[in-house]
Amino acid sequence: QVQLVESGGGSVQAGGSLRLSCAASGYTASSYCMAWFRQSPGNEREEVAALDSDGSTNYAASVKGRFTISQDSAKNTLYLQMNNLKPEDTAMYYCAADLGVWIGPSHRCRIEYNYWGQGTQVTVSS
């Protein structure tokens, strides 16, 4: 059974940094997608950053240049380094995993993810 456990959230002032971690277990697929989503009260869930097992990454326009998604395969851990945080980054952040899809010879990440963590709160004050 796939389990995702996030950590690293907290409260910081605008301009500060945080690194979120997502420890994954029970996931043995060689091709996969992992992503960070966030949701704040009254807003829809938003994909912040995604990482494909082929090494490609994708970022929401609102975080590009400030956030970096990465993984440590040996530790089965996904990270989200968040720099220059803004009050609008305040949200619950969720780690997600999915097998993705094959389109011909190419592996692609889907919009929907099958596995989710419980979330970690990030609060940025001005």
Side-chain angles (χ1 to χ4, degrees):
Q1 184 174 351
V2 176
Q3 286 192 324
L4 304 172
V5 180
E6 302 96 334
S7 62
S11 297
V12 296
Q13 289 192 325
S17 298
L18 283 173
R19 188 177 79 159
L20 305 183
S21 299
C22 172
S25 60
Y27 208 77
T28 59
S30 58
S31 297
Y32 56 85
C33 294
M34 296 195 75
W36 289 97
F37 288 77
R38 67 185 181 187
Q39 187 169 22
S40 55
N43 292 319
E44 292 187 356
R45 187 175 61 196
E46 172 190 25
E47 182 181 293
V48 174
L51 181 147
D52 194 308
S53 53
D54 68 3
S56 61
T57 57
N58 191 50
Y59 295 92
S62 58
V63 306
K64 193 171 292 185
R66 300 188 297 122
F67 291 11
T68 303
I69 189 171
S70 63
Q71 66 174 347
D72 184 331
S73 299
K75 296 181 179 180
N76 291 327
T77 300
L78 181 74
Y79 300 102
L80 184 69
Q81 178 67 42
M82 305 185 295
N83 298 327
N84 190 22
L85 282 160
K86 304 177 180 180
E88 52 263 43
D89 295 319
T90 295
M92 185 71 79
Y93 282 72
Y94 298 92
C95 173
D98 189 70
L99 289 175
V101 294
W102 284 97
I103 302 177
S106 301
H107 186 258
R108 292 288 182 265
C109 296
R110 304 187 304 166
I111 296 174
E112 297 295 329
Y113 280 71
N114 278 327
Y115 304 102
W116 294 85
Q118 294 299 307
T120 185
Q121 178 69 36
V122 172
T123 303
V124 184
S125 59
S126 58

